[in-house]
């Protein structure tokens, strides 16, 4: 299965069925994988589509063919120069990847299985898939692989085709390889997401509804994560045991990654599950995930604030909503950390409003690192209203404070200090068809 990166994986590859000789055993699963790769290669390549449509096609294909464990990939989505890499293996072609996957994982009814947690575009050239893996592998004795979570990043070329796949494991590759033969070694196994979360949604929602959107609650109660986890643990104690390292389950980092991936997927409506949810159920689930992520103090890299961000979900009263209250209106925010520049922008039909100023991070924690929640002081010193080929300067001045409740490369959650309103934002580049040219460059003289 490609080139091994460590001795443990090389050993496992050496004992796969027929590996190492001209009379390699060709299993039914391998035949099925190569047949699908060959058949779909006859179809036209899916070029020129949006990253959203590519994301949907990936989600549909994984749901029907589970190609991460079967190898039955759709060649029409992949570039001819496709390459794959994970912490243990590298491959240089799609057929090699498909053959290796189908040979490594057992394809019978009691074989390997996967469960997609989320699929969403990180930007215009990358799609992320978060998924769960468990089952048997094709080495003597057909042992079970330790269940774990994988984050797959698909890189897209200029034509919009997948030309690179990189997998990141929730546990080290050597741990996975050795635990096939020695199950007691290494980190605890992950629990199946559908088991852990489907039956615990009600408890998570109850905890979410009790989330107090006040600055003091989060600052004075750093263990809100434990309280959210406790509600899940009412149904699944082993999940929480895994978080604390005493048994099997998800670590805190894994839970944050799962919550974040699912939230982004639901917000962008990129999965079939999201599209099939009723509006009330969808909003309930989004709210639960927002509150759960907001409850976990985490380290942040302030450089992730840079760039133009798009508001995709709100709750409570927010000042800009007085200008753009309709569902189709769009709100943006832009930061530049190097010199503390800030812009807020709202587009409502043919009219847009841009307000600018400065911001300052208020580090109330360690001097060496920032952790959520982190307070931000914003000082707006002017605004401009444009519409119907006219523009007006508006003398808006004032200060306001908000908190960063969660921040990562492509997702952030803010809370207004005054009203308690919550805003969820993703990077604006995820919406390529939206016109953001009305937002001036940071530092540009626009007033």
């Amino acid at each position: 299965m490609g080139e091994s990166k460590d001795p443990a994986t090389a050993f496992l590859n050496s004992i796969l069925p027929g590996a190492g000789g001209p009379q390699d055993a060709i299993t039914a699963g391998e035949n099925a994988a190569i047949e699908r790769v060959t058949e779909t290669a006859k179809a036209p390549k899916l070029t020129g589509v949006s990253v959203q449509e590519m994301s949907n096609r990936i989600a549909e294909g994984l749901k029907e063919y589970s190609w991460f464990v079967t190898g039955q990939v759709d060649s029409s989505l992949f570039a001819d120069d496709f390459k794959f890499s994970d912490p243990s293996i590298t491959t240089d072609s799609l057929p090699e990847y498909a053959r290796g996957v189908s040979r490594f994982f057992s394809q019978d009814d009691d074989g390997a299985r996967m469960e997609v947690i989320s699929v969403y575009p990180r930007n215009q050239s990358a799609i992320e898939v978060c998924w769960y893996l468990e089952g048997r592998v094709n080495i003597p004795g057909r042992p079970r692989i330790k269940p774990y979570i994988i984050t797959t990043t698909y890189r897209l070329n200029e034509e919009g085709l997948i030309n690179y796949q990189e997998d990141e494991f929730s546990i080290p590759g050597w741990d996975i390889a050795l635990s096939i033969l020695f199950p007691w070694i290494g980190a605890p196994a992950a629990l199946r997401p559908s088991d852990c979360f489907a039956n615990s949604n009600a408890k998570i929602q109850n905890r979410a509804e009790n989330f107090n959107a006040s600055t003091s609650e989060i600052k004075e109660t750093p263990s809100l994560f434990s309280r959210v986890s406790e509600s899940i643990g009412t149904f699944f104690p082993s999940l929480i045991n895994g978080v604390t390292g005493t048994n099997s389950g998800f670590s805190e980092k894994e839970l944050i990654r799962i919550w974040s991936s699912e939230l982004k997927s639901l917000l962008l409506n990129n999965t079939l599950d999201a599209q099939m949810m009723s509006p009330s159920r969808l909003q309930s689930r989004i709210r639960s995930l927002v509150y759960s992520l907001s409850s976990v103090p985490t380290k942040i890299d302030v450089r992730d604030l840079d760039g133009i961000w798009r508001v995709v979900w709100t709750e409570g009263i927010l000042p800009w909503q007085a200008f753009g209250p309709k569902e189709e209106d769009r709100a943006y925010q832009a930061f530049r950390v190097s010199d503390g520049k800030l812009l807020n922008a709202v587009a409502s039909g043919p009219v847009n409003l841009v307000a600018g100023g400065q911001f300052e991070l208020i580090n109330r924690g360690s001097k060496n690192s920032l952790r959520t929640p982190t307070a931000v002081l914003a000082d707006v010193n002017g605004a401009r209203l444009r519409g119907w080929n006219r523009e007006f300067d508006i003398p808006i001045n004032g200060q306001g404070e908000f908190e960063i409740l969660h921040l990562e490369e492509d997702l952030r959650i803010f809370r207004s200090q005054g009203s308690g309103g919550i805003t969820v934002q993703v990077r604006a580049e995820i919406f390529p068809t939206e016109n953001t040219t009305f937002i001036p460059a940071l530092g540009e003289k626009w007033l």
Side-chain angles (χ1 to χ4, degrees):
M1 184 179 172
E3 180 181 348
S4 302
K5 294 182 179 179
D6 57 71
T9 307
F11 170 72
L12 290 177
N13 274 342
S14 71
I15 59 176
L16 287 174
Q23 304 301 320
D24 283 1
I26 304 298
T27 65
E30 187 173 355
N31 278 332
I34 297 304
E35 180 180 349
R36 177 158 169 77
V37 169
T38 303
E39 287 299 314
T40 54
K42 298 175 183 177
K45 295 287 188 180
L46 191 68
T47 58
V49 302
S50 69
V51 68
Q52 298 270 10
E53 183 175 345
M54 176 61 79
S55 180
N56 288 338
R57 288 289 296 270
I58 292 170
E60 293 167 6
L62 287 171
K63 186 171 184 178
E64 184 172 359
Y65 292 99
S66 298
W67 67 59
F68 287 150
V69 295
T70 65
Q72 297 183 34
V73 294
D74 184 346
S75 298
S76 68
L77 309 182
F78 292 80
D80 292 336
D81 60 350
F82 169 81
K83 294 184 182 343
F84 165 82
S85 177
D86 71 16
S88 301
I89 293 288
T90 59
T91 61
D92 292 328
S93 72
L94 192 62
E96 182 183 3
Y97 168 79
R99 182 178 290 108
V101 167
S102 63
R103 175 182 288 163
F104 186 73
F105 294 111
S106 177
Q107 303 297 317
D108 56 23
D109 293 339
D110 190 33
R113 66 178 298 275
M114 58 164 289
E115 184 174 323
V116 174
I117 297 171
S118 64
V119 183
Y120 75 96
R122 292 182 59 180
N123 50 52
Q124 289 306 300
S125 59
I127 295 171
E128 184 172 297
V129 184
C130 185
W131 55 288
Y132 165 89
L133 171 64
E134 68 171 356
R136 298 186 183 277
V137 293
N138 284 325
I139 64 174
R142 294 181 64 251
R144 286 194 171 277
I145 196 169
K146 177 187 292 185
Y148 60 100
I149 302 297
I150 300 175
T151 301
T152 293
T153 300
Y154 278 135
R155 303 290 179 187
L156 309 182
N157 64 14
E158 294 180 353
E159 295 180 300
L161 297 173
I162 302 166
N163 65 352
Y164 188 70
Q165 174 182 335
E166 183 175 16
D167 287 358
E168 178 186 352
F169 302 157
S170 61
I171 57 178
W174 62 262
D175 183 343
I176 299 166
L178 290 179
S179 63
I180 292 175
L181 302 177
F182 310 103
W184 59 88
I185 287 179
L191 298 181
R192 187 177 303 169
S194 57
D195 288 345
C196 292
F197 294 103
N199 293 325
S200 62
N201 280 351
K203 284 289 183 179
I204 294 177
Q205 179 63 20
N206 288 338
R207 178 58 62 195
E209 290 173 355
N210 291 329
F211 177 84
N212 186 343
S214 69
T215 305
S216 60
E217 166 123 9
I218 287 186
K219 286 185 171 58
E220 296 173 5
T221 315
S223 60
L224 278 179
F225 170 77
S226 301
R227 291 161 56 191
V228 174
S229 300
E230 180 184 356
S231 70
I232 305 173
T234 302
F235 283 104
F236 300 99
S238 59
L239 170 62
I240 304 308
N241 289 337
V243 172
T244 58
T246 58
N247 203 328
S248 63
F250 295 115
S251 67
E252 178 177 315
K253 182 179 179 181
E254 288 170 335
L255 275 174
I256 292 172
R257 180 160 55 183
I258 291 171
W259 287 339
S260 171
S261 295
E262 183 184 356
L263 176 60
K264 286 178 279 193
S265 185
L266 293 178
L267 288 169
L268 300 176
N269 201 32
N270 278 335
T271 65
L272 296 177
D273 289 341
Q275 295 163 13
M276 292 175 65
M277 283 187 183
S278 67
S280 61
R281 183 185 172 198
L282 178 62
Q283 288 303 308
S284 176
R285 184 59 182 168
I286 289 174
R287 182 178 297 107
S288 299
L289 293 165
V290 169
Y291 286 0
S292 296
L293 285 170
S294 300
S295 299
V296 189
T298 56
K299 289 184 179 180
I300 61 174
D301 184 342
V302 296
R303 293 171 297 182
D304 286 337
L305 287 170
D306 278 341
I308 300 177
W309 292 72
R310 163 80 142 82
V311 175
V312 289
W313 189 84
T314 63
E315 182 176 73
I317 300 173
L318 297 162
W320 58 266
Q321 290 174 326
F323 176 78
K326 301 189 294 296
E327 183 177 349
E328 62 270 22
D329 295 337
R330 311 186 311 275
Y332 303 88
Q333 196 166 48
F335 286 77
R336 190 167 66 196
V337 174
S338 61
D339 57 2
K341 295 291 185 182
L342 165 69
L343 286 176
N344 293 309
V346 183
S348 181
V351 180
N352 62 72
L353 175 70
V354 178
Q358 299 285 133
F359 76 93
E360 178 185 358
L361 294 168
I362 304 174
N363 188 356
R364 294 171 176 165
S366 166
K367 293 182 179 180
N368 299 322
S369 64
L370 287 174
R371 293 180 66 87
T372 59
T374 292
V376 180
L377 182 64
D379 187 358
V380 175
N381 54 32
R384 175 167 290 173
L385 181 68
R386 296 185 180 93
W388 298 290
N389 297 320
R390 303 185 67 182
E391 59 182 53
F392 309 90
D393 291 341
I394 302 176
I396 295 178
N397 292 280
Q399 287 188 337
E401 187 174 325
F402 62 91
E403 287 182 305
I404 304 171
L405 300 182
H406 182 80
L407 176 64
E408 55 190 81
E409 183 182 359
D410 52 4
L411 175 73
R412 64 190 192 189
I413 303 173
F414 290 168
R415 177 173 57 184
S416 172
Q417 177 75 351
S419 67
I422 294 178
T423 301
V424 181
Q425 303 176 7
V426 298
R427 292 201 176 273
E429 63 189 82
I430 294 178
F431 303 91
T433 59
E434 292 185 357
N435 181 13
T436 59
T437 57
F438 71 94
I439 303 175
L442 286 165
E444 174 184 316
K445 184 175 177 58
W446 59 282
L447 280 177

